[in-house]
Amino acid sequence: MADEPTPTTQRRQLGARLRELRRAAGKTAKQVADDLGFSLSKVSRIESGDRAVQSDDISSLIHYFGVGGSAADDMRALARLARRRRTPTPQAFAPTLDDVTVRQDGFFDLERDASWIREFNGGVIPGLLQTREYMSAAIVDGTPGISADLVAEAIDTRFRRQAVLDGDCQYEIIVDESVLLRCVGGPPVMREQISFITDAVASGRVSFGVVPLAVGAHPAVNSMFVSLRVREGLAPDVVFVEGLAGPMRFDRPEDVERFDRAWSHLSSLAEWAEDAGARLVATARRYEGMEP
């Protein structure tokens, strides 16, 4: 985990603080917008962390909410740090580096600052646990027409992301059994991939669960999502849902709670520890009997 929070996390931290001040003052976002001459969209984007707060705007907000002394200085400093620009990180699946890349960069920043990550995937092994060969096959087969240069860039990005597992981030993953049975890249690639997962679980870096196909339908059968909690007290929890058009972010408490309930149910359905390990071993043996 990074020593200093990323600008994305700092924007969300500042936005959460401003939302608390607004609610404590008994104001709606529209009232704040009208009183300060802001658009309602601007206030909403500041509070959600989607927009950096310029120096004049943070001064207006501090004065409006009556914040003084060291608290005001801290908010100005946080706004200044949150305005730092980072080099956009290539989006792992996008065939071109467009505005989807910029949106995805917010996810990478929050992932880097996470104290815990919970991920469900019903399609492929999540990127944080993929081997190089599995990554290559998943990206090439999943993105027809992607250039070799962009494939290499996306693989490099995923490997850099995996550094989060070397810190103190708690990573929990649940996959549908179909993910293990989907032969991405061929049997040798799958054998290596399953061995990599087994080693990661044995090292204690990852908690790995499998929802058996025999369970049938479940709350996330048509979905894949990642729940993130950044360092305690820095910013609210957030959930990203992946799709063909890129990730969608949910950070309203009621939305996050809905995904928490889905995770709890999936966790109760999944095989963990020895049972999940036995399924990994059985699946690896299945691939041993297949032609390359």
Side-chain angles (χ1 to χ4, degrees), residues 62 66-73:
I62 286 172
V67 181
S70 61
D73 293 339

Side-chain angles (χ1 to χ4, degrees), residues 18-231:
L18 289 168
R19 185 186 301 114
E20 290 172 359
L21 289 169
R22 174 176 61 77
R23 289 174 175 171
K27 299 283 188 178
T28 66
K30 186 177 187 308
Q31 286 174 319
V32 173
D34 290 343
D35 291 345
L36 294 179
F38 295 170
S39 67
L40 178 57
S41 173
K42 178 176 179 177
V43 173
S44 297
R45 287 172 60 80
I46 286 174
E47 289 190 356
S48 66
D50 288 331
R51 175 180 179 140
V53 188
Q54 300 305 311
S55 56
D56 289 347
D57 292 340
I58 192 62
S59 294
S60 296
L61 288 161
I62 286 172
H63 178 74
Y64 182 79
F65 291 122
V67 181
S70 61
D73 293 339
D74 290 345
M75 290 182 69
R76 287 192 178 91
L78 185 58
R80 184 171 59 254
L81 289 170
R83 288 195 296 271
R84 290 174 300 156
R85 293 188 177 275
R86 288 169 53 82
T87 302
T89 307
Q91 204 265 4
F93 288 99
T96 58
L97 296 178
D98 54 15
D99 61 325
V100 174
T101 303
V102 178
R103 292 202 303 272
Q104 182 80 333
D105 189 52
F107 169 75
F108 291 148
D109 278 354
L110 294 170
E111 182 182 69
R112 179 170 171 260
D113 286 337
S115 59
W116 61 247
I117 301 171
R118 291 174 177 168
E119 181 166 2
F120 171 79
N121 202 310
V124 294
I125 301 296
L128 292 182
L129 280 183
Q130 290 178 1
T131 64
R132 179 177 293 275
E133 289 73 18
Y134 188 100
M135 287 181 197
S136 179
I139 293 169
V140 171
D141 295 342
T143 317
I146 190 171
S147 71
D149 287 345
L150 194 53
V151 170
E153 196 170 10
I155 290 174
D156 181 62
T157 296
R158 289 194 188 177
F159 268 110
R160 291 201 306 270
R161 288 173 55 208
Q162 289 181 354
V164 72
L165 300 182
D166 295 328
D168 56 1
C169 177
Q170 178 184 348
Y171 184 42
E172 300 177 40
I173 173 176
I174 300 175
V175 299
D176 194 270
E177 184 185 358
S178 61
V179 170
L180 301 178
L181 300 177
R182 182 168 292 109
C183 191
V184 176
V189 171
M190 290 303 299
R191 288 197 296 270
E192 181 187 28
Q193 177 62 71
I194 291 172
S195 176
F196 182 82
I197 294 172
T198 302
D199 290 345
V201 173
S203 73
R205 296 186 302 161
V206 176
S207 296
F208 187 82
V210 181
V211 177
L213 288 174
V215 165
H218 54 73
V221 70
N222 291 320
S223 181
M224 58 185 73
F225 64 89
V226 184
S227 298
L228 297 162
R229 173 168 293 169
V230 298
R231 303 181 209 182

Side-chain angles (χ1 to χ4, degrees), residues 168 238 248 255:
D168 56 1
V238 61
M248 295 185 295
D255 291 331

Side-chain angles (χ1 to χ4, degrees), residues 229-268:
R229 173 168 293 169
V230 298
R231 303 181 209 182
E232 296 295 337
L234 279 186
D237 294 352
V238 61
V239 178
F240 286 84
V241 178
E242 181 67 55
L244 286 176
M248 295 185 295
R249 191 183 77 190
F250 298 88
D251 53 14
R252 294 189 309 170
E254 57 268 33
D255 291 331
V256 173
E257 183 180 356
R258 179 159 52 94
F259 283 99
D260 285 346
R261 289 196 301 269
W263 176 268
S264 295
H265 189 64
L266 288 167
S267 183
S268 70

